[in-house]
Each structure stands twice: as C-alpha cells, then as structure tokens.
Amino acid sequence: MTTTTPRTLAQQPWEPALSVRQVLGLERVRAGQPEVVAGAHRLDRPVRWVHVAEAADVGVMLSGGEMVLTTGVLLAGDEEGQGEYIRSLDRAEAAAVVLGLGRAFPAPPEMMRSAAERCGLPMVVLHRPFPFAELTEEVQSRLLRRKFAAVSLSEAVRTELTGLITAGAPVQRLLDEVARHAGCPVVVTNLAHRALATAGERAAVDDVLRDWERIARQAGAGSADGWIRAELTCRGEGWGRLVLCGYRGERAAGRLLADRAAEALVLHRMLAGDGTHPGVPAGSRDSWEEQSARSLLTDLVSGAVPARQLLPRARAAGLPVNRRVFVPLVVREREPARPARVLRRLGLPGLAARLADDHVAVLLSLAPDQDARALTAHFATRLRAEPDNSHAVVAAADARADWTGVPAGLREAQHVADAVADSPAAALDLPPVVRLRDIHLRGLVRLLRDDPHVQSFAERELDGLLRGPDRDLLPVLRTYLATGRNKSRTAQLHHVSRPALYRRLEAIQGSLGVDLDDFEQAASVHIALLAHDAQQG
C-alpha cells in the first residue's frame, strides 16, 4: 500500500472537485470582480476544498487541492514572507490562492504575483470587498452535492450490477449496463492492452478501436482526456483493465463508476471460475481472451456485421491485419481449447474460438511471403498428433488476401467440416486438411439438404429401413457405401465375419427393394443416405 502524501490525497479519485475556472465563474465570485494575475494557464486545476486562512505558515495545514482565501493582513510589508507564503502553498499543492484587495494590499503585490507565476500557482485578486464566508459556503455545498451524487450513482450501479450477476447474466450484459450509465464506450483489456470485450454504441466503439494500442497506452499514462481506467485484480493478481473511453461527466463520478464496474467484473470472474455462478460448473467458462475471439469469429461467420466494421475489433484483439493473408479454418474437435494451444506452440498468429459444441473456428493471419498451405498442413498435423485426437477434422477454405473475403471463407470451411461430420472417419481417406474439392457429392447434398424435394427423395428411398425393424442396419449401409462397396473393409470396420455381413446386406436390400450391386441403384441409395444424414446433422 502506498504512503499517503499531499499529492496522493489531492488526487484521490473519489473526491469530487470543481476547477479553479469553474469557481471563478460562480455568480457570487463574479460579484467580487476577480482578476487572474498569475498562473492563468493552470485554471483547470481541481479545487477539492476552500480554506480561509491568514496564517503565514498556512501551507503546513494543507493536504492538497485547496483554494486558499486570504486578505494577506499578516504579510503586508514583508516581501520575503510574501514570496515564502506562495512557495509554501505550491509545496502543499494548493489549487489556487485568492487575495482580497483592501487595507493590507490595495493592489496586487508584485512579490506574490511573480512568485506565483514562477510556481505556476493560479493567483486571483478580488477588486471589490467580498465576504469569504459566502464563497466557502457556495463551493463547499456544491462539492458536497457532487460527492453525494457520485456516491449515489456508485451505489445504484453496484446494486444493479450485483443483481445482474446473481441472476446469472453474461458478462456482456454487465458491460452494456456500464456503458449505458457512462454514456461512452467501455473496453476491457488484458495487461498487454489487447481488447477483450467492448460495450457501447457500435460506431463509437469502432472509432475507439481503430487505433486502439496507441490510445490505450496514452490512457494508461494519464494523457487522454476523459479516459478513466480501473485495474482488474483477482486474488491479488492483476489480469486486466476496464477503460471508460471519453467519459464526459464529472471525473469523480466516472472514477466511482469504473471502480464499481471493475468490482462487478472481478466478482463475475471469480464466481464463474469456482462454479458458484448460477448453472455454471466449475471451470466451464471461457477466458476473456476466448470470449473476445469467439465474439469476433461468430460475427464474421454469421455475416450479421459487415467485415470492414469488424476490422478494428480484430486489430484491437491483437490479430495482425495490415498486409496479411488470412486462412479460414473450422476444426471439429472434442476439446475446444486445443486448437488455440497448438497455435501458440507453433507461434502462428491467429485467433481460435469455439463456435458450437465441437466446432472451433480458426483464423490464421500470415505474411504474404509465407506458405499458407504448408503452414495450414503443419497446424493440422500437429493438432491431430495430440493425444486421442487423430480423428480431428481440419477443414479449410483457400487463403484470402482481402479481409472482406474472410466471412465467406469461414462459412465455406464450416460447410466442409459439416459435410464430413457424420461420416465414419476411419472409412474416409481424409487428407490432413479437408477442402471443398475433397467432399465431392457429400458437400453438394449438404448444401441442398433443406430443399423439400431432396427431403422427400431421402424419405422415399430409405423408407424401408427408417420405419421398419431393420433401422439398426443403417450404420452398415453407411459404411458399405462410404467405402465404395468394399465388403472386406466393411466387415472389418463392423467387426463381423464376411458371411454375417452378406446376411445384413441381403436384409438391407430386401427392406429397400434395391440391388446394391447395381451402380445406379446403389448411387441413388447413397445420395438418399447422404441427404438423410445431412438433415439429421
């Protein structure tokens, strides 16, 4: 924990403040005809409190951020004391000094004015007699109202977000609520400044993400106006940041809002991690990085958002997008986190995220001089070399040199993966990477599976097996046709003798009323079975 100093006290984020400029603009203050005689470039300094003091050593009683009101009666005739008085206020980080002209000083004292100018301390003189009590009352009441409003907002937001968490709301719902209160984009980043999640009006979010890394680092350094960040820490370890991007309200209120939002996100993360979140088993939730990649890839596949609008999100997520070649892949994988791990091990730049139960979308981002096909094949080989993963299907579309072609490429890869999904992997001679040309008739049938004529055809051709007692023979028929009517291979795969297989094939032919040795009849049944499997899948 850091030691409390005048500087940290003056900058405590929960303290509401008015700027020196705002105080001087108050109607009661304008009645005193204020004139800024020094430090005019520092009028936006925050005023945390107003302090009336005549003591020459008032600086030792300040904690920073005060506007000091004085008549200077104890400093008249003491030029050395006047200079030291200003320097002591500067050391204490006072916001400004206001001198009421009168009997002690009928005109602004040059020694105080020059010292204040050198220190950069705003110095204001009041040309008309002015009761300091009115100024302190006005400023203090405004500060207290601001503090009350900020605390009220803080508690309202905390209550609202806690209610969402206990109701099992997803983290995006929490962020949307924070963005609604903030009236500006909200971004969650990891410690490397990569955007993990966003909320807010879409166009505003895209504007923020367009040059995200640069402006995120500026915000972290405190050089971006209206950017407020809160650290995300869980069990003593920092894992990210929440940033309000361009907050236009009072900074104290924004600070409290960011802190409450950060508390809610950390609580959500902890509950999701230990399984106490409603309906969520321990360890079943994706990491923030995975959720970010999943959101982006899902939007790309769905086509609900134009690809160009997703480019800032991809860049902010850490995907290289300038002068790159993109390889869209879809992997059928029992362990959804495995493709991302293989990407990291190979050092391949890209994103990977689960789309559905066992479908994982992978988007590689390669340099134009890299061999996209060789690297894709290398990725597939390493993935299938993982323990108990030899039957993983890696489907790919051709590399895209233009980002706008990525959505169509991902959909093509998904189509290819789906086309081989229901086929016995051992019965198919699949290459390490399956492409559109590798799925032939199966791919065409899958594209047409929703056509009523195709559905009717499949039902009619397979009716004898689908409705009769021989339905259990469908797997045998499927393997027999997939292996090119190879009886030995089919018997081997189903662990039966050749005579037993012959009896099953005779039963199938009897149920369907076809001769499977006839090429045309066998082809018709094969197409019907492919259509049936596609419809069921």
Side-chain angles (χ1 to χ4, degrees):
M1 188 171 183
T2 57
T3 303
T4 299
T5 65
R7 175 176 293 277
T8 56
L9 281 171
Q11 294 177 346
Q12 282 178 344
W14 55 84
E15 291 290 352
L18 293 165
S19 68
V20 175
R21 191 186 309 278
Q22 287 174 313
V23 171
L24 297 181
L26 297 177
E27 186 176 350
R28 288 188 180 184
V29 179
R30 290 202 304 270
Q33 295 183 357
E35 178 190 1
V36 180
V37 296
H41 62 291
R42 304 292 297 279
L43 295 182
D44 290 319
R45 299 178 77 177
V47 176
R48 190 177 58 84
W49 208 242
V50 177
H51 193 71
V52 180
E54 298 294 350
D57 59 349
V58 66
V60 299
M61 295 181 279
L62 304 180
S63 58
E66 295 91 349
M67 175 179 277
V68 177
L69 311 180
T70 183
T71 62
V73 65
L74 299 181
L75 297 173
D78 182 3
E79 290 193 348
E80 183 177 346
Q82 294 168 19
E84 178 56 30
Y85 177 80
I86 294 296
R87 288 189 290 274
S88 71
L89 292 181
D90 180 57
R91 287 193 296 270
E93 295 195 339
V97 59
V98 178
L99 175 66
L101 300 181
R103 184 176 57 186
F105 291 105
E110 179 56 27
M111 180 58 71
M112 292 180 70
R113 190 205 66 77
S114 59
E117 190 65 43
R118 284 194 299 272
C119 292
L121 175 70
M123 178 175 173
V124 182
V125 296
L126 300 174
H127 288 278
R128 294 185 61 183
F130 182 82
F132 285 167
E134 290 188 11
L135 176 56
T136 57
E137 178 185 4
E138 175 78 11
V139 174
Q140 314 299 45
S141 64
R142 286 176 178 265
L143 290 175
L144 287 173
R145 286 199 299 271
R146 287 179 176 220
K147 186 168 188 176
F148 178 76
V151 171
S152 296
L153 172 65
S154 169
E155 290 307 307
V157 171
R158 173 184 279 151
T159 300
E160 194 168 345
L161 296 182
T162 302
L164 289 172
I165 292 173
T166 55
V171 72
Q172 187 61 51
R173 178 74 179 85
L174 270 65
L175 290 176
D176 289 341
E177 199 60 31
V178 174
R180 185 181 69 82
H181 280 286
C184 67
V186 177
V187 179
V188 176
T189 78
N190 62 13
L191 297 180
H193 302 287
R194 290 188 175 181
L196 305 180
T198 62
E201 198 274 320
R202 189 74 262 162
V205 170
D206 289 345
D207 285 343
V208 165
L209 295 183
R210 210 155 265 127
D211 195 14
W212 171 250
E213 186 171 351
R214 179 183 63 81
I215 56 182
R217 293 182 186 279
Q218 285 183 349
S223 59
D225 183 35
W227 285 58
I228 301 173
R229 76 175 191 172
E231 300 298 320
L232 300 173
T233 304
C234 188
R235 297 184 175 93
E237 183 179 353
W239 57 271
R241 300 179 181 91
L242 177 139
V243 187
L244 304 185
C245 308
Y247 182 75
R248 295 307 174 198
E250 294 295 333
R251 188 166 185 84
R255 181 72 260 170
L256 282 170
L257 176 58
D259 287 343
R260 295 298 83 80
E263 288 173 5
L265 294 183
V266 170
L267 176 60
H268 192 284
R269 178 185 175 99
M270 292 176 66
L271 291 177
D274 63 17
T276 58
H277 202 282
V280 179
S284 67
R285 291 212 160 189
D286 293 338
S287 71
W288 281 82
E289 287 82 358
E290 289 165 338
Q291 290 182 45
S292 174
R294 185 177 186 182
S295 173
L296 174 62
L297 291 173
T298 299
D299 283 347
L300 281 168
V301 171
S302 70
V305 182
R308 289 197 180 279
Q309 292 185 22
L310 296 173
L311 194 58
R313 284 171 58 189
R315 184 183 292 111
L319 184 74
V321 295
N322 293 331
R323 294 184 295 279
R324 307 294 286 187
V325 172
F326 304 99
V327 183
L329 309 172
V330 170
V331 180
R332 286 188 62 87
E333 166 68 72
R334 297 189 189 95
E335 187 182 334
R338 189 150 37 192
R341 290 202 304 268
V342 173
L343 279 183
R344 288 193 294 269
R345 289 172 189 164
L346 295 177
L348 288 175
L351 298 175
R354 182 181 57 195
L355 293 180
D357 294 336
D358 59 352
H359 284 65
V360 179
V362 179
L363 181 60
L364 302 181
S365 174
L366 307 175
D369 59 349
Q370 291 180 291
D371 189 334
R373 283 186 172 269
L375 288 174
T376 303
H378 185 43
F379 165 76
T381 301
R382 286 290 297 271
L383 182 66
R384 297 177 70 169
E386 293 282 302
D388 302 319
N389 206 42
S390 59
H391 295 317
V393 174
V394 179
D398 290 336
R400 263 59 177 175
D402 187 349
W403 172 259
T404 57
V406 168
L410 283 169
R411 288 192 289 273
E412 179 182 314
Q414 187 173 34
H415 166 64
V416 173
D418 287 342
V420 298
D422 301 319
S423 300
L428 295 173
D429 185 19
L430 292 176
V433 180
V434 187
R435 301 180 186 277
L436 191 59
R437 65 172 176 273
D438 299 317
I439 57 175
H440 308 299
L441 178 62
R442 185 178 301 275
L444 175 63
V445 170
R446 192 163 191 93
L447 284 175
L448 300 175
R449 64 181 174 175
D450 294 327
D451 188 296
H453 297 293
V454 175
Q455 295 171 359
S456 176
F457 169 76
E459 291 291 319
R460 184 173 62 252
E461 288 290 302
L462 301 176
D463 182 64
L465 281 183
L466 296 178
R467 295 201 304 170
D470 296 329
R471 185 178 180 87
D472 291 342
L473 294 175
L474 272 176
V476 176
L477 175 62
R478 184 179 293 112
T479 304
Y480 179 63
L481 295 173
T483 57
R485 296 184 292 172
N486 186 320
K487 293 182 176 67
S488 298
R489 181 63 173 150
T490 302
Q492 179 184 10
L493 289 171
H494 284 273
H495 309 289
V496 298
S497 64
R498 289 283 293 267
L501 176 65
Y502 292 157
R503 288 193 294 271
R504 295 183 187 186
L505 291 177
E506 288 173 2
I508 291 172
Q509 293 180 110
S511 295
L512 297 181
V514 298
D515 177 6
L516 293 178
D517 288 331
D518 181 87
F519 175 79
E520 185 174 340
Q521 294 182 55
S524 180
V525 172
H526 195 184
I527 293 171
L529 186 58
L530 291 176
H532 170 75
D533 289 345
Q535 291 155 16
Q536 296 302 309

